[in-house]
Each structure stands twice: as C-alpha cells, then as structure tokens.
Amino acid sequence: MLNAPQILVRCIALAVCTAALAACGQRGPLYLPTDPAAQGRASLTDTVLPNTPAPGTTPPPAPAR
C-alpha cells in the first residue's frame, strides 16, 4: 500500500513529466525552410548518417592505397 510521501512524489513526477512534454516541440505547422540561409544546415540524414553522400551528388573518390 502506498503511503503519503510516495503518492506525493509520484504526483510531482507526473506533473514534471507532463510539463516537460507539453513544453517541447515547435508550435504551428511543420515546414521545410527554403531560404538561402537554410541551404548550409545539416539535415536529419546528415546528422544520423554523417558519411553518406547527399542524394543527387556523386560520392567522393576512394582514397588511393
């Protein structure tokens, strides 16, 4: 059976988690930026797989042995 301090701690933890989840993220619709300043930014693919060439580009030549 739960006692008063356990209930209080669980309620506070639930409130903190709820506030953290409600506060994260971007408000409004999602969009892909097309302005020139956005051209040099890393994409999700660049972040997750940093050594993969971007689609539509030729990969760099392999180093000579």
Side-chain angles (χ1 to χ4, degrees):
M1 183 167 189
L2 297 175
N3 56 18
Q6 286 178 332
I7 294 172
L8 182 63
V9 168
R10 289 183 182 186
C11 287
I12 291 173
L14 179 63
V16 168
C17 289
T18 302
L21 287 175
C24 67
Q26 176 180 346
R27 295 182 67 160
L30 298 178
Y31 67 94
L32 292 175
T34 56
D35 58 340
Q39 295 299 323
R41 294 183 190 153
S43 66
L44 177 63
T45 309
D46 296 336
T47 306
V48 175
L49 304 169
N51 295 327
T52 332
T57 60
T58 57
R65 292 186 187 198

